[in-house]
Amino acid sequence: MLSLIGLIGGLVLLIVLTIRGMNLFIAAPACALLVALTSGLPVFIGENNFVETYMSGFSGFIASWFFMFLLGAIFGKFMEDTGAADSVARWIVGKLGFKHAVLAVVMACAILTYGGVSVFVVAFSVYPMALSLFKDANLPRRFIPATLAFGSVTFTMTSAGSPEIQNWIPIKYLGTSPFAGWEVSLVVAIFMASFGYWWLKKMIGKAVANGEKFDSREYDPHIPERDYPHPMTGLIPLFVVLILSFTLHEALAQLALIVALGGGVLTIMLINYKHFHNMSQAINLGTTGALIAIGNTAAVVGFGSIAKSTIAFQQTVELMTQIPGNELIGAAIAVSVIAGLTGSASGGQAIALPLVAPHYLDQGVEPDQLHRIVSISSGALDSLPHNGYVVTTIRAICHETHKAAYSAVAALTVVVPLIGLVMAIGLFSIM
């Protein structure tokens, strides 16, 4: 009981401290220590002690993602510094009008995500263009994180055919394909895209009606008008990232992103070299931004590592896999809760599937249906305030606060996927 209280208390405290803007390098390990102490885990000495377990999760994430964060951040800064992002933004606004600025950002994120670029990196790549579009359209910048997240971690990340790991992890346990349950997935994805976009536009429209507008900040890039390159020089590097990621994904898996982002960085250097405002500063800012972003995310991953080591968490996982009633509902609840506790969609799947898959397959559940439900459900409660992607996008990339930006993020990445999950379960139940 004490372990369960500590687990829930530590999670709630982490969420509260995150929303209040406390430094995650302090908040995450402090909350993890609370969880460890209430669960009887040794702090310094012994098997599965706090320090080793926390740092294993922390360092493991950095080892896996450092180069992707670094190259992604440098790519984004190069797009800013050369004026390529501004050029593309103005071209889009000129062709589509200011009223479609939000749609342009959502579509850019969706195309990159469905093309195989990791959701962690998409925000780095698209943010400079999003900033320019919101500035030109005079829209409140606090909605940029929600716009980036909506295009990246909702209707694309968990849909049939998506190359993101949230759609590929179930294959190992269920023997399915990336296109499992594609008919239902297509209906749900269309609903999430249309309903979520309507809701996003409504939230932004309400804020504008209340007098909110774009607020420039001193650290925003200021590129002289004469330095703007041709819009295509901003689009070509994005296509290079997309094409390399898509073609190399199956052969190199996650490592394909290093090649893709490296190709994007080199491309923008070659075709926009004369338009650089201050290349060395862009590299320095990109490097610093990448370290802050991956550090914040790794701090939360470390908390998840401690949470997974507790007795309460293990008992919760066992309980979740024994929920009576509709098997798809049980699987959805199990994956959603575990993803919420760990703050990770992929982590929730990796923990739940070894237990969920055999349990429900033995009961005659269709593997394709289970695959799609597990995938969609992993992308809902994972987006609580302490989620690594949420923290990185709001704080490190967009330089916003949870207080200003998270309500819109929650509406689009928690509520909308939950509605889509209910719809998917309903559709599979009548098929």
Side-chain angles (χ1 to χ4, degrees):
M1 179 59 71
L2 181 61
S3 178
L4 180 61
I5 293 173
L7 177 61
I8 296 174
L11 177 61
V12 171
L13 181 61
L14 178 59
I15 291 174
V16 170
L17 293 177
T18 301
I19 293 175
R20 291 190 174 184
M22 185 173 182
N23 190 308
L24 281 171
F25 289 105
I26 303 298
C31 294
L33 180 59
L34 172 64
V35 174
L37 292 175
T38 53
S39 297
L41 296 179
V43 178
F44 299 111
I45 302 172
E47 189 176 355
N48 295 326
N49 68 72
F50 166 77
V51 174
E52 289 185 0
T53 303
Y54 184 88
M55 291 310 300
S56 176
F58 185 96
S59 60
F61 183 84
I62 292 178
S64 297
W65 289 95
F66 173 74
F67 286 112
M68 283 71 113
F69 271 70
L70 177 65
L71 291 171
I74 292 175
F75 180 81
K77 284 300 177 183
F78 278 8
M79 288 284 286
E80 276 185 3
D81 195 73
T82 58
D86 277 344
S87 182
V88 172
R90 294 191 173 202
W91 178 77
I92 291 173
V93 168
K95 295 293 183 180
L96 302 179
F98 290 114
K99 64 180 181 179
H100 294 301
V102 175
L103 178 62
V105 177
V106 172
M107 290 304 298
C109 291
I111 290 171
L112 287 173
T113 303
Y114 207 78
V117 179
S118 170
V119 296
F120 278 106
V121 175
V122 169
F124 279 116
S125 303
V126 181
Y127 172 71
M129 185 181 77
L131 185 68
S132 295
L133 284 168
F134 272 64
K135 180 180 179 180
D136 291 342
N138 199 26
L139 300 176
R141 65 190 297 160
R142 69 183 179 92
F143 289 100
I144 293 179
T147 307
L148 296 174
F150 174 60
S152 303
V153 300
T154 56
F155 60 94
T156 51
M157 183 180 78
T158 59
S159 295
S162 172
E164 300 297 330
I165 59 173
Q166 291 80 4
N167 183 47
W168 282 69
I169 291 176
I171 297 174
K172 174 182 177 181
Y173 301 95
L174 302 173
T176 48
S177 79
F179 296 93
W182 70 268
E183 301 94 335
V184 168
S185 178
L186 180 61
V187 174
V188 172
I190 291 173
F191 165 77
M192 286 199 290
S194 54
F195 176 68
Y197 180 69
W198 170 82
W199 197 357
L200 175 61
K201 288 284 290 181
K202 185 177 181 179
M203 288 188 289
I204 295 176
K206 183 178 180 180
V208 171
N210 289 335
E212 290 190 49
K213 57 184 180 179
F214 186 88
D215 59 304
S216 297
R217 297 172 184 172
E218 60 180 14
Y219 49 77
D220 288 343
H222 298 286
I223 310 299
E225 182 80 25
R226 66 180 183 275
D227 285 343
Y228 285 156
H230 190 278
M232 283 304 297
T233 64
L235 292 174
I236 290 174
L238 287 172
F239 284 128
V240 168
V241 174
L242 179 64
I243 292 169
L244 287 176
S245 176
F246 185 78
T247 33
L248 299 175
H249 180 81
E250 288 193 17
L252 299 178
Q254 187 174 298
L255 296 178
L257 274 177
I258 297 177
V259 179
L261 289 167
V265 169
L266 290 175
T267 301
I268 198 169
M269 286 180 65
L270 289 173
I271 64 179
N272 271 338
Y273 185 80
K274 65 180 181 179
H275 292 286
F276 271 101
H277 196 60
N278 190 332
M279 183 189 289
S280 60
Q281 184 182 51
I283 293 174
N284 290 336
L285 290 174
T287 302
T288 303
L291 291 174
I292 293 173
I294 198 170
N296 282 333
T297 307
V300 177
V301 172
F303 174 85
S305 297
I306 294 295
K308 288 187 292 184
S309 302
T310 64
I311 298 173
F313 185 87
Q314 294 165 13
Q315 292 176 342
T316 300
V317 172
E318 292 178 8
L319 180 63
M320 289 295 104
T321 59
Q322 297 172 12
I323 296 174
N326 186 298
E327 292 85 357
L328 293 179
I329 294 177
I333 293 174
V335 174
S336 296
V337 170
I338 296 169
L341 287 172
T342 58
S344 168
S346 56
Q349 287 190 28
I351 293 169
L353 274 170
L355 299 171
V356 169
H359 177 73
Y360 289 123
L361 289 178
D362 289 345
Q363 295 185 24
V365 178
E366 287 290 330
D368 284 3
Q369 294 184 6
L370 186 58
H371 177 135
R372 192 53 47 209
I373 292 301
V374 165
S375 183
I376 296 174
S377 62
S378 71
L381 293 185
D382 71 309
S383 299
L384 294 177
H386 66 296
N387 170 265
Y389 170 84
V390 171
V391 171
T392 296
T393 302
I394 291 178
R395 291 194 183 185
I397 298 175
C398 299
H399 309 291
E400 296 291 340
T401 64
H402 272 66
K403 182 178 180 180
Y406 183 70
S407 59
V409 172
L412 298 173
T413 65
V414 177
V415 179
V416 171
L418 282 175
I419 297 174
L421 176 60
V422 172
M423 178 182 291
I425 293 172
L427 290 172
F428 278 132
S429 299
I430 62 177
M431 287 179 64

